[in-house]
Short mmCIF file of all heavy atoms in Angstrom, two decimals:
data_model
loop_
_atom_site.label_atom_id
_atom_site.label_comp_id
_atom_site.label_asym_id
_atom_site.label_seq_id
_atom_site.Cartn_x
_atom_site.Cartn_y
_atom_site.Cartn_z
N TYR A 85 55.78 50.00 123.87
CA TYR A 85 56.64 49.08 123.13
C TYR A 85 57.05 47.86 123.94
O TYR A 85 57.38 46.82 123.40
CB TYR A 85 57.89 49.82 122.64
CG TYR A 85 58.96 49.94 123.69
CD1 TYR A 85 60.10 49.18 123.61
CD2 TYR A 85 58.80 50.78 124.79
CE1 TYR A 85 61.08 49.26 124.58
CE2 TYR A 85 59.77 50.87 125.76
CZ TYR A 85 60.90 50.10 125.65
OH TYR A 85 61.85 50.17 126.62
N SER A 86 57.02 47.97 125.27
CA SER A 86 57.45 46.85 126.12
C SER A 86 56.46 45.69 126.04
O SER A 86 56.78 44.59 126.49
CB SER A 86 57.63 47.30 127.56
OG SER A 86 56.39 47.70 128.11
N GLN A 87 55.29 45.91 125.45
CA GLN A 87 54.31 44.83 125.29
C GLN A 87 54.60 43.99 124.05
O GLN A 87 54.06 42.90 123.91
CB GLN A 87 52.90 45.40 125.22
CG GLN A 87 52.48 46.12 126.47
CD GLN A 87 52.53 45.23 127.70
OE1 GLN A 87 51.97 44.14 127.70
NE2 GLN A 87 53.22 45.68 128.73
N SER A 88 55.43 44.50 123.16
CA SER A 88 55.79 43.70 121.98
C SER A 88 56.79 42.63 122.40
O SER A 88 57.46 42.76 123.43
CB SER A 88 56.39 44.59 120.89
OG SER A 88 57.68 45.06 121.28
N ARG A 89 56.90 41.60 121.60
CA ARG A 89 57.84 40.52 121.94
C ARG A 89 59.26 41.05 122.01
O ARG A 89 60.02 40.71 122.91
CB ARG A 89 57.72 39.40 120.89
CG ARG A 89 58.65 38.24 121.18
CD ARG A 89 58.34 37.01 120.40
NE ARG A 89 58.12 37.19 118.99
CZ ARG A 89 57.77 36.21 118.17
NH1 ARG A 89 57.59 35.00 118.63
NH2 ARG A 89 57.59 36.45 116.89
N LEU A 90 59.62 41.94 121.07
CA LEU A 90 60.96 42.52 121.06
C LEU A 90 61.20 43.37 122.30
O LEU A 90 62.23 43.25 122.96
CB LEU A 90 61.16 43.35 119.79
CG LEU A 90 62.44 44.17 119.70
CD1 LEU A 90 63.66 43.28 119.82
CD2 LEU A 90 62.45 44.95 118.40
N GLY A 91 60.25 44.23 122.64
CA GLY A 91 60.40 45.09 123.81
C GLY A 91 60.49 44.29 125.10
O GLY A 91 61.33 44.58 125.96
N ALA A 92 59.65 43.28 125.22
CA ALA A 92 59.67 42.44 126.42
C ALA A 92 61.01 41.71 126.54
O ALA A 92 61.61 41.65 127.62
CB ALA A 92 58.52 41.44 126.38
N TRP A 93 61.50 41.17 125.42
CA TRP A 93 62.79 40.48 125.45
C TRP A 93 63.91 41.44 125.83
O TRP A 93 64.76 41.14 126.67
CB TRP A 93 63.10 39.84 124.09
CG TRP A 93 64.54 39.48 123.95
CD1 TRP A 93 65.16 38.40 124.49
CD2 TRP A 93 65.55 40.24 123.27
NE1 TRP A 93 66.51 38.43 124.18
CE2 TRP A 93 66.76 39.55 123.44
CE3 TRP A 93 65.54 41.42 122.54
CZ2 TRP A 93 67.96 40.02 122.90
CZ3 TRP A 93 66.73 41.87 122.00
CH2 TRP A 93 67.92 41.17 122.19
N TYR A 94 63.92 42.61 125.20
CA TYR A 94 64.99 43.57 125.46
C TYR A 94 65.03 43.96 126.94
O TYR A 94 66.09 43.96 127.55
CB TYR A 94 64.82 44.82 124.59
CG TYR A 94 65.90 45.84 124.86
CD1 TYR A 94 67.17 45.69 124.30
CD2 TYR A 94 65.68 46.91 125.71
CE1 TYR A 94 68.18 46.60 124.57
CE2 TYR A 94 66.68 47.82 125.98
CZ TYR A 94 67.92 47.67 125.42
OH TYR A 94 68.92 48.56 125.70
N LEU A 95 63.88 44.28 127.48
CA LEU A 95 63.84 44.71 128.88
C LEU A 95 64.12 43.56 129.85
O LEU A 95 64.72 43.78 130.91
CB LEU A 95 62.49 45.35 129.20
CG LEU A 95 62.22 46.66 128.46
CD1 LEU A 95 60.79 47.11 128.70
CD2 LEU A 95 63.21 47.74 128.89
N ARG A 96 63.71 42.35 129.48
CA ARG A 96 63.90 41.20 130.37
C ARG A 96 65.34 40.70 130.35
O ARG A 96 65.94 40.52 131.39
CB ARG A 96 62.92 40.10 129.97
CG ARG A 96 62.74 39.02 130.98
CD ARG A 96 61.64 38.01 130.60
NE ARG A 96 61.77 37.50 129.25
CZ ARG A 96 60.96 37.83 128.22
NH1 ARG A 96 59.95 38.64 128.40
NH2 ARG A 96 61.15 37.31 127.03
N THR A 97 65.89 40.46 129.15
CA THR A 97 67.23 39.86 129.09
C THR A 97 68.15 40.47 128.04
O THR A 97 69.36 40.43 128.20
CB THR A 97 67.14 38.35 128.80
OG1 THR A 97 66.48 38.15 127.56
CG2 THR A 97 66.42 37.60 129.90
N GLY A 98 67.60 40.97 126.96
CA GLY A 98 68.41 41.42 125.83
C GLY A 98 69.37 42.53 126.16
O GLY A 98 70.53 42.53 125.73
N ARG A 99 68.90 43.52 126.93
CA ARG A 99 69.75 44.66 127.29
C ARG A 99 71.01 44.19 128.00
O ARG A 99 72.11 44.61 127.68
CB ARG A 99 68.94 45.62 128.16
CG ARG A 99 69.69 46.81 128.64
CD ARG A 99 68.83 47.78 129.41
NE ARG A 99 67.80 47.13 130.21
CZ ARG A 99 66.71 47.73 130.64
NH1 ARG A 99 66.50 49.00 130.38
NH2 ARG A 99 65.83 47.09 131.36
N GLU A 100 70.83 43.28 128.93
CA GLU A 100 71.98 42.77 129.68
C GLU A 100 72.82 41.81 128.84
O GLU A 100 74.05 41.88 128.84
CB GLU A 100 71.49 42.06 130.95
CG GLU A 100 72.60 41.60 131.85
CD GLU A 100 72.07 40.95 133.12
OE1 GLU A 100 71.02 41.38 133.62
OE2 GLU A 100 72.72 40.00 133.59
N GLN A 101 72.16 40.94 128.10
CA GLN A 101 72.86 39.93 127.31
C GLN A 101 73.77 40.55 126.26
O GLN A 101 74.85 40.05 126.00
CB GLN A 101 71.84 39.01 126.64
CG GLN A 101 72.44 37.91 125.79
CD GLN A 101 71.37 37.04 125.14
OE1 GLN A 101 70.17 37.28 125.30
NE2 GLN A 101 71.79 36.05 124.41
N PHE A 102 73.32 41.65 125.63
CA PHE A 102 74.07 42.24 124.53
C PHE A 102 74.68 43.60 124.88
O PHE A 102 75.09 44.34 123.99
CB PHE A 102 73.18 42.36 123.30
CG PHE A 102 72.77 41.01 122.75
CD1 PHE A 102 71.48 40.56 122.90
CD2 PHE A 102 73.69 40.20 122.12
CE1 PHE A 102 71.09 39.32 122.41
CE2 PHE A 102 73.33 38.97 121.62
CZ PHE A 102 72.02 38.52 121.77
N ALA A 103 74.74 43.92 126.16
CA ALA A 103 75.23 45.25 126.60
C ALA A 103 76.65 45.53 126.14
O ALA A 103 77.00 46.70 125.95
CB ALA A 103 75.13 45.36 128.12
N ARG A 104 77.44 44.52 125.93
CA ARG A 104 78.84 44.74 125.56
C ARG A 104 79.01 45.23 124.12
O ARG A 104 80.09 45.62 123.71
CB ARG A 104 79.65 43.46 125.78
CG ARG A 104 79.31 42.32 124.86
CD ARG A 104 80.07 41.04 125.23
NE ARG A 104 79.83 39.96 124.33
CZ ARG A 104 78.83 39.10 124.43
NH1 ARG A 104 77.95 39.20 125.41
NH2 ARG A 104 78.69 38.13 123.55
N PHE A 105 77.93 45.22 123.35
CA PHE A 105 78.00 45.62 121.96
C PHE A 105 77.53 47.05 121.78
O PHE A 105 76.51 47.46 122.31
CB PHE A 105 77.16 44.68 121.08
CG PHE A 105 77.62 43.26 121.14
CD1 PHE A 105 76.92 42.32 121.86
CD2 PHE A 105 78.78 42.88 120.50
CE1 PHE A 105 77.35 41.01 121.93
CE2 PHE A 105 79.24 41.58 120.56
CZ PHE A 105 78.52 40.63 121.29
N ALA A 106 78.31 47.80 121.01
CA ALA A 106 77.96 49.20 120.74
C ALA A 106 76.62 49.26 120.03
O ALA A 106 76.31 48.43 119.17
CB ALA A 106 79.05 49.84 119.88
N GLY A 107 75.84 50.23 120.38
CA GLY A 107 74.59 50.48 119.69
C GLY A 107 73.37 49.79 120.26
O GLY A 107 72.26 50.03 119.78
N VAL A 108 73.54 48.96 121.27
CA VAL A 108 72.38 48.25 121.82
C VAL A 108 71.39 49.21 122.46
O VAL A 108 70.18 49.08 122.26
CB VAL A 108 72.83 47.14 122.80
CG1 VAL A 108 71.65 46.57 123.57
CG2 VAL A 108 73.54 46.04 122.04
N SER A 109 71.87 50.17 123.20
CA SER A 109 70.94 51.11 123.84
C SER A 109 70.22 51.97 122.79
O SER A 109 69.07 52.35 122.98
CB SER A 109 71.66 51.99 124.86
OG SER A 109 72.66 52.75 124.24
N GLU A 110 70.89 52.24 121.66
CA GLU A 110 70.24 52.99 120.59
C GLU A 110 69.10 52.19 119.96
O GLU A 110 68.10 52.75 119.52
CB GLU A 110 71.25 53.40 119.51
CG GLU A 110 72.20 54.50 119.94
CD GLU A 110 73.38 54.01 120.79
OE1 GLU A 110 73.60 52.78 120.88
OE2 GLU A 110 74.04 54.86 121.40
N LEU A 111 69.26 50.87 119.94
CA LEU A 111 68.18 50.02 119.43
C LEU A 111 66.92 50.21 120.25
O LEU A 111 65.82 50.30 119.71
CB LEU A 111 68.59 48.53 119.48
CG LEU A 111 69.43 48.00 118.36
CD1 LEU A 111 69.85 46.57 118.65
CD2 LEU A 111 68.72 48.09 117.04
N ASP A 112 67.08 50.30 121.56
CA ASP A 112 65.93 50.49 122.44
C ASP A 112 65.22 51.79 122.10
O ASP A 112 64.00 51.83 121.98
CB ASP A 112 66.38 50.46 123.89
CG ASP A 112 65.22 50.60 124.86
OD1 ASP A 112 64.20 49.91 124.67
OD2 ASP A 112 65.35 51.39 125.81
N GLN A 113 65.98 52.86 121.94
CA GLN A 113 65.38 54.16 121.63
C GLN A 113 64.70 54.15 120.27
O GLN A 113 63.59 54.65 120.11
CB GLN A 113 66.43 55.27 121.69
CG GLN A 113 65.87 56.66 121.49
CD GLN A 113 64.80 57.03 122.53
OE1 GLN A 113 64.90 56.67 123.70
NE2 GLN A 113 63.78 57.73 122.09
N LEU A 114 65.35 53.56 119.27
CA LEU A 114 64.73 53.45 117.94
C LEU A 114 63.43 52.67 118.00
O LEU A 114 62.43 53.03 117.37
CB LEU A 114 65.70 52.77 116.96
CG LEU A 114 66.88 53.59 116.47
CD1 LEU A 114 67.85 52.68 115.70
CD2 LEU A 114 66.41 54.72 115.57
N HIS A 115 63.44 51.60 118.78
CA HIS A 115 62.26 50.76 118.92
C HIS A 115 61.11 51.54 119.55
O HIS A 115 59.96 51.48 119.08
CB HIS A 115 62.62 49.53 119.76
CG HIS A 115 61.51 48.54 119.89
ND1 HIS A 115 61.24 47.92 121.07
CD2 HIS A 115 60.61 48.08 119.00
CE1 HIS A 115 60.21 47.11 120.90
NE2 HIS A 115 59.81 47.19 119.66
N ARG A 116 61.40 52.31 120.58
CA ARG A 116 60.37 53.13 121.22
C ARG A 116 59.77 54.13 120.21
O ARG A 116 58.56 54.30 120.13
CB ARG A 116 60.97 53.92 122.38
CG ARG A 116 61.31 53.12 123.58
CD ARG A 116 62.04 54.01 124.60
NE ARG A 116 62.63 53.24 125.65
CZ ARG A 116 62.15 53.20 126.90
NH1 ARG A 116 61.08 53.89 127.21
NH2 ARG A 116 62.75 52.47 127.81
N GLU A 117 60.64 54.78 119.46
CA GLU A 117 60.19 55.78 118.49
C GLU A 117 59.35 55.15 117.39
O GLU A 117 58.37 55.76 116.92
CB GLU A 117 61.39 56.52 117.91
CG GLU A 117 62.09 57.41 118.93
CD GLU A 117 63.43 57.94 118.47
OE1 GLU A 117 63.83 57.68 117.31
OE2 GLU A 117 64.10 58.60 119.29
N MET A 118 59.71 53.95 116.97
CA MET A 118 58.93 53.27 115.94
C MET A 118 57.51 53.00 116.44
O MET A 118 56.54 53.18 115.70
CB MET A 118 59.61 51.97 115.52
CG MET A 118 60.82 52.19 114.64
SD MET A 118 61.79 50.69 114.30
CE MET A 118 60.58 49.45 114.04
N HIS A 119 57.39 52.56 117.68
CA HIS A 119 56.06 52.31 118.23
C HIS A 119 55.24 53.59 118.31
O HIS A 119 54.05 53.59 117.98
CB HIS A 119 56.15 51.63 119.60
CG HIS A 119 56.23 50.15 119.52
ND1 HIS A 119 55.13 49.33 119.57
CD2 HIS A 119 57.29 49.33 119.36
CE1 HIS A 119 55.51 48.07 119.45
NE2 HIS A 119 56.82 48.04 119.33
#
Side-chain angles (χ1 to χ4, degrees):
Y85 82 107
S86 65
Q87 298 301 309
S88 70
R89 181 166 47 184
L90 173 58
W93 163 78
Y94 179 80
L95 294 173
R96 195 174 50 252
T97 60
R99 177 176 35 201
E100 185 178 325
Q101 180 181 2
F102 295 107
R104 68 185 183 273
F105 299 105
V108 169
S109 61
E110 288 81 12
L111 278 174
D112 182 46
Q113 184 59 37
L114 286 170
H115 184 222
R116 288 174 192 253
E117 292 168 4
M118 285 172 41
H119 273 267

